Amino acid sequence: MGGGGGSSHSETVRKRDPDSAEISALQSLLYSQYTPMAGQLGGDYAAAKENAAKYGQQYDKAYGGLADLTESGNLPAGLTDAMNGYITRSMDKSLGSVMAQMGGKGVLNSSVTGRAINEIGSNTADAFAKNYLDAYGAASGNYGTLMDAAGKAQSQQYDNLTAQYAPLMEFFKTVRASEDQDDYDTVVYQDGRK
């Protein structure tokens, strides 16, 4: 019986050719270009996050105002103060005008004055009711506009950051994909022959 068997040995070989001098120089240039940008990313991200938080607070404030308006029907304080001031001035002006007219005719007594005040009060209430709905619609529209603007500005912070660092991310993604390739293989030689 013959026993045979030759010898064998294995060797690990690189499957890809080594990078050329030009490719190595290009990689070095790209690394030198993108490395400072990578160092800046953390600070820029922190600033974008801080600004986005400010816009988030603006959104929350506007949303809270809209929720309060919807739930309670109460107009914002500044708006009601302005409306009340306008109505009061208009009522005082009308009352003064009526009193002057009646006084000029010599018909100024408690009955006429009482009727004039009641009529002015009724007209004022009607005007307020009509203007309330307009003010309500304007206030809710303004809150919606504020929320929309804050939401867009908030997301724009991250869109700007993404656009600014897109080349850096693409470069490191390409480098990573290149590094993840299986680069070496084991070759087994039989009978001492290559």
Side-chain angles (χ1 to χ4, degrees):
M1 293 193 57
S7 63
S8 68
H9 73 280
S10 64
E11 184 178 323
T12 302
V13 295
R14 184 178 171 118
K15 289 180 5 178
R16 292 182 294 166
D17 293 332
D19 293 331
S20 67
E22 292 83 10
I23 293 294
S24 294
L26 179 61
Q27 286 175 341
S28 178
L29 175 68
L30 289 173
Y31 272 112
S32 68
Q33 200 173 24
Y34 287 119
T35 301
M37 186 185 275
Q40 185 180 335
L41 176 60
D44 286 352
Y45 177 77
K49 187 175 178 183
E50 184 179 322
N51 285 334
K54 289 176 189 173
Y55 289 120
Q57 290 169 352
Q58 290 175 6
Y59 180 92
D60 291 345
K61 185 176 179 183
Y63 181 81
L66 181 59
D68 182 51
L69 176 65
T70 304
E71 292 168 6
S72 69
N74 293 330
L75 296 171
L79 184 57
T80 55
D81 291 346
M83 273 180 72
N84 287 335
Y86 173 76
I87 290 169
T88 300
R89 286 189 303 277
S90 295
M91 189 174 89
D92 289 346
K93 183 178 174 186
S94 296
L95 182 58
S97 177
V98 167
M99 299 295 267
Q101 282 178 350
M102 294 299 170
K105 294 178 182 179
V107 194
L108 193 60
N109 60 34
S110 62
S111 175
V112 170
T113 304
R115 204 169 350 129
I117 290 172
N118 286 339
E119 187 175 315
I120 290 170
S122 176
N123 290 342
T124 301
D126 288 346
F128 184 83
K130 288 176 188 171
N131 289 321
Y132 173 81
L133 291 177
D134 290 339
Y136 184 93
S140 66
N142 287 343
Y143 281 132
T145 300
L146 289 171
M147 289 165 52
D148 185 51
K152 285 179 181 174
Q154 186 180 37
S155 66
Q156 190 64 48
Q157 296 296 310
Y158 295 110
D159 291 347
N160 292 346
L161 199 61
T162 299
Q164 179 181 350
Y165 286 97
L168 171 72
M169 295 305 165
E170 190 59 34
F171 171 70
F172 282 114
K173 180 180 165 188
T174 303
V175 168
R176 182 67 183 201
S178 172
E179 290 172 351
D180 285 346
Q181 291 180 4
D182 188 17
D183 195 21
Y184 295 94
D185 201 359
T186 300
V187 177
V188 178
Y189 299 102
Q190 294 293 329
D191 298 321
R193 291 177 291 176
K194 283 191 171 186

